[in-house]
Amino acid sequence: MHINLLCGLRHLPNHFFEKHSQETFAGVDRGAFELTKRGIEPLFMIGDFDSVTDDERQELIETYGIEPLKPEKDDTDLALAVDEAVKRGYKHINMYGATGGRLDHFMGALQILEKPYYINVGIHIRLIDSQNEIQLINEGKHQIERLDAYPYVSFIPLRPNAVISLEGFKYGLNHEVLEEGSTLTISNEVEDDIGYITVERGMFLQMRSSDKPS
């Protein structure tokens, strides 16, 4: 099952609501209000709702019965939303509106991708905006299509001595050993219709990017 988590309107892909309005959504803090404003009722709403006005918060309380969380908590609103989606049985989770603001929030969103439990039980999480699509890839074989919307592909090693092979890319690799901090695999491109990725050891952040908003 697939669900979209909307945190806000920052850096959404073009025509986002037109393309996805019939899909399942959950609202994270400000994102909950933005969904309801467009006639999309979220499956659930979560957050301390510190990014809405007092009037908007009251409207959400009166209309949808939200229970704002205390600002002092052990996880971010987005992390709690992902956890709730997983508890409800969702295996494919896309996060939108979570980039373009505070870098600590962005790094927190990346941390969610690396949560061992999600990796172990096969939860697929993507962080998406108008210029980037980020996900974690683990050991095994993977493939991606060439996309005009995100022509560049980078692989960020997350473990020491990670090993990766790439076929069908502009810059192919064969059993390449990468240290953390390596920039060898930044800004590659899928050259064939399909690019084949083999992670032989470790794990990577796969980042698809564009110079211009999609």
Side-chain angles (χ1 to χ4, degrees):
M1 293 196 299
H2 162 258
I3 190 170
N4 300 316
L5 305 183
L6 184 70
C7 302
L9 300 181
R10 286 195 305 260
H11 299 287
L12 294 180
N14 289 334
H15 311 295
F16 175 75
F17 291 105
E18 292 91 331
K19 292 178 180 177
H20 299 284
S21 62
Q22 301 305 309
E23 298 176 9
T24 302
F25 276 91
V28 185
D29 209 87
R30 177 83 201 174
F33 181 78
E34 296 296 346
L35 287 169
T36 60
K37 194 167 77 170
R38 289 163 174 79
I40 302 171
E41 185 166 345
L43 180 67
F44 63 86
M45 309 182 202
I46 198 165
D48 53 26
F49 294 94
D50 61 351
S51 59
V52 298
T53 66
D54 291 342
D55 288 343
E56 290 167 345
R57 185 185 302 108
Q58 192 60 35
E59 180 180 333
L60 290 173
I61 291 171
E62 293 176 358
T63 306
Y64 298 98
I66 66 163
E67 297 180 359
L69 302 171
K70 293 181 179 180
E72 299 80 15
K73 53 190 182 297
D74 294 334
D75 282 303
T76 64
D77 292 340
L78 181 54
L80 293 170
V82 172
D83 188 56
E84 180 64 24
V86 171
K87 288 177 180 176
R88 292 177 182 239
Y90 288 91
K91 291 279 192 177
H92 296 269
I93 301 170
N94 290 340
M95 305 185 295
Y96 293 96
T99 64
R102 286 171 50 178
L103 287 179
D104 57 340
H105 286 173
F106 173 66
M107 294 302 296
L110 292 181
Q111 285 290 101
I112 295 170
L113 303 182
E114 297 183 50
K115 190 169 182 176
Y117 174 74
Y118 298 155
I119 296 170
N120 293 337
V121 300
I123 306 298
H124 302 280
I125 306 173
R126 295 189 300 169
L127 179 60
I128 303 172
D129 66 19
S130 60
Q131 290 181 253
N132 307 278
E133 180 184 288
I134 307 170
Q135 66 185 79
L136 183 141
I137 55 172
N138 211 346
E139 292 180 4
K141 296 181 182 296
H142 312 269
Q143 61 184 53
I144 57 175
E145 296 179 358
R146 186 176 67 237
L147 291 177
D148 292 337
Y150 301 109
Y152 305 111
V153 189
S154 298
F155 300 94
I156 313 298
L158 299 176
R159 299 290 184 272
N161 299 313
V163 182
I164 191 170
S165 295
L166 301 176
E167 183 181 346
F169 287 78
K170 184 176 182 179
Y171 306 108
L173 292 175
N174 189 29
H175 311 295
E176 189 72 32
V177 180
L178 298 174
E179 295 288 345
E180 287 179 290
S182 171
T183 60
L184 175 66
T185 45
I186 298 297
S187 214
N188 207 332
E189 298 175 44
V190 180
E191 200 163 58
D192 298 339
D193 290 336
I194 301 291
Y196 296 93
I197 306 149
T198 303
V199 178
E200 297 161 60
R201 185 168 62 235
M203 60 184 64
F204 292 80
L205 283 179
Q206 174 188 289
M207 310 180 81
R208 309 200 68 171
S209 302
S210 172
D211 288 323
K212 299 178 181 180
S214 63

